[in-house]
Structure formats: structure tokens, C-alpha cells
Amino acid sequence: MYSKLQYISQGETIEKQLYNIHQALDAGCNWLQMRFKNQTQKDAFTLAEAVKPLCEKYTANFIVNDDLHLTKEIDADGIHLGLTDTKIDEARTFLGPSKVIGGTANTFEDIENHVKNGCDYIGLGPFRFTNTKEKLSPILGLSGYFDILQKLKKNKIEIPVYAIGGITLRDVNPLMETGIHGIAVSGIITESDEKEKLIQQLNEKLYANIIV
Ligand SMILES: Cc1ncc(COP(=O)(O)OP(=O)(O)O)c(N)n1
Ligand SMILES: Cc1nc(C(=O)O)sc1CCOP(=O)(O)O
Ligand SMILES: [Mg+2]
């Protein structure tokens, strides 16, 4: 089963990305989505080539945002695709059954479609406004998650759902109570001066009800 915490990388240069990724891995993140927007293919490849062995060293899962060809070329563990990116079923055909494919959703119907098309996990958001992403879908808030997760249960649709968008430590408990599997975060980890402590606190809350 996937970790309950996914870190989505930030940084406008290869150096800043690498620094942020290294810090997050060092502080205990074991699932990374490399999100390097509006870059040349060459720079994205250069970054991915450096991130892959780093993730191997930290035994972290490494998925790529948006770029299907880069995912295959670099042999990453998978990809995250949005509602206007490559379709999930096309990505599945291209990448094969062993790669992890995540899909963005904002509604119950988005999730239904993703499941039909062979998606492995859902990034459901935004929870609240965030500056990290432009052109946000309608904000869901806690009630949005509650309604969608109830509908999934009623329709016996089982897929790990990750909340995303402006999430802070204090949001984790109420979000987990809606039935989500975990969270995907960017800003709180990138900006934290105490990353190890924060990640530990996030994981304590995310895994609080798991009996080992
Ligand atoms: C886990 C997760 N959920 C949602 C997104 C957003 O994907 P997308 O809508 O394609 O937006 P960009 O991230 O590509 O700007 C995500 N990346 N990860
Ligand atoms: C990449 C992304 N996708 C979103 C969506 O709603 O689909 S919100 C978002 C940004 C997540 O970063 P932060 O934790 O800094 O808000
Ligand atoms: Mg995308």
C-alpha cells in the first residue's frame, strides 16, 4: 500500500529543486512527486536523472508530474496526471501495468472515470486555496471531501484518495476522518525550518489509527 504522505517538489531551477528534494528525503519523506513546471525537456531530464538515484538511496518512491515520456525514459516508479494531461488509459497502455499512475480529481465523477481507466490513486483537491498551483478547480473544503468519500463508499469504489491543496498539520485529523487515505503536500514541507519534526508529526496523525 502507498505511503500516506506524498511530497510534491518545488523550485524554479534544477538546483533549488534538488535542494528541496534532498531536504525532504533527508527529513523522512519516502514518496516524492517531481513537479518542475514550465521547463525545457533537457532540464526536466537533467533533474530527473539526479533525483532517481537520490530516491533509490533513500528508498523513496519516485513519480513524475505530467511527463509520460520522461517517466518511461528515466524508469521512474510512476506518474501523476491531471484532468487536462494525458488520459489515464493512454498512460496505462504506454507505461504498462507495473507503473503507478495517479490522477487528479475534483468530483466523484472524475474518480469514477479514473478508476474505470486503470488509475492507482487519486489526488482529490483543492482542499483550500493555495499559491502552489495556478488555475485551481473549485475548492472542496472538508464538506466536499466528506460528500465525495461517502459517495465512493456507497458505490463500493475502492481507491486510495489523497487530499491536496493548502493542507497544514492541523487539517490532517479532520481530513482523515472523511475517509481519505493520505495527503499530498508541497508548501508546508518546502517552507518548514523543522522538516524532520513536521514530517514526524504529519505521519503520527496520518498513521494514528493503523494497528501494526
Ligand atoms: C497528488 C496530486 N494531486 C493533484 C495534482 C494536480 O495535478 P494537475 O491537475 O495535473 O496539476 P499540475 O500539478 O500538473 O500543475 C498533483 N500534481 N498531484
Ligand atoms: C499541485 C496541486 N494540485 C492541486 C489540485 O487541487 O489539484 S493543489 C496543488 C498544490 C499543492 O501544494 P500545496 O501543498 O503547497 O498547496
Ligand atoms: Mg498536470
Side-chain angles (χ1 to χ4, degrees):
M1 187 39 87
Y2 307 121
S3 297
K4 291 177 177 286
L5 178 64
Q6 183 186 105
Y7 170 62
I8 303 179
S9 71
Q10 284 182 300
E12 270 148 37
T13 62
I14 295 174
E15 292 72 26
K16 280 186 192 157
Q17 282 271 339
L18 263 181
Y19 177 81
N20 289 334
I21 289 168
H22 206 156
Q23 294 267 308
L25 293 172
D26 215 32
C29 279
N30 62 9
W31 191 5
L32 168 79
Q33 178 186 153
M34 187 190 105
R35 183 172 184 266
F36 195 30
K37 303 296 283 188
N38 310 317
Q39 301 295 325
T40 61
Q41 279 185 323
K42 186 170 168 280
D43 282 0
F45 184 82
T46 303
L47 176 62
E49 223 179 4
V51 170
K52 176 125 196 264
L54 208 52
C55 285
E56 281 166 359
K57 183 178 160 205
Y58 285 92
T59 56
N61 279 323
F62 170 34
I63 66 168
V64 171
N65 174 266
D66 292 347
D67 194 331
L68 202 57
H69 291 274
L70 179 59
T71 304
K72 194 165 195 174
E73 213 175 339
I74 209 82
D75 193 26
D77 297 311
I79 189 165
H80 188 94
L81 294 167
L83 291 163
T84 57
D85 297 323
T86 308
K87 299 274 166 271
I88 302 286
D89 51 351
E90 284 171 35
R92 178 61 71 206
T93 305
F94 185 75
L95 293 174
S98 66
K99 297 294 178 196
V100 175
I101 301 180
T104 303
N106 181 247
T107 63
F108 168 77
E109 289 73 22
D110 293 337
I111 302 180
E112 244 187 339
N113 286 331
H114 283 337
V115 171
K116 275 183 206 144
N117 290 325
C119 198
D120 293 305
Y121 79 87
I122 301 294
L124 178 64
F127 171 61
R128 69 161 62 84
F129 177 79
T130 173
N131 281 315
T132 307
K133 182 182 163 184
E134 289 170 9
K135 296 188 191 142
L136 290 171
S137 292
I139 287 169
L140 293 170
L142 211 49
S143 62
Y145 284 88
F146 183 80
D147 292 349
I148 292 172
L149 269 294
Q150 286 293 312
K151 227 167 161 184
L152 289 174
K153 204 171 167 189
K154 207 170 136 195
N155 287 274
K156 298 189 168 51
I157 297 174
E158 287 182 18
I159 186 162
V161 174
Y162 287 76
I164 183 166
I167 294 170
T168 66
L169 183 62
R170 73 174 65 153
D171 299 319
V172 179
N173 284 343
L175 274 169
M176 289 302 280
E177 278 167 19
T178 67
I180 58 158
H181 176 75
I183 57 170
V185 298
S186 201
I188 50 163
I189 291 182
T190 308
E191 286 153 27
S192 171
D193 294 328
E194 294 184 298
K195 292 186 178 41
E196 201 171 330
K197 184 176 166 196
L198 172 64
I199 289 165
Q200 201 176 326
Q201 288 173 323
L202 287 168
N203 278 327
E204 269 166 23
K205 289 178 188 286
L206 289 165
Y207 289 94
N209 295 317
I210 309 279
I211 299 155
V212 193

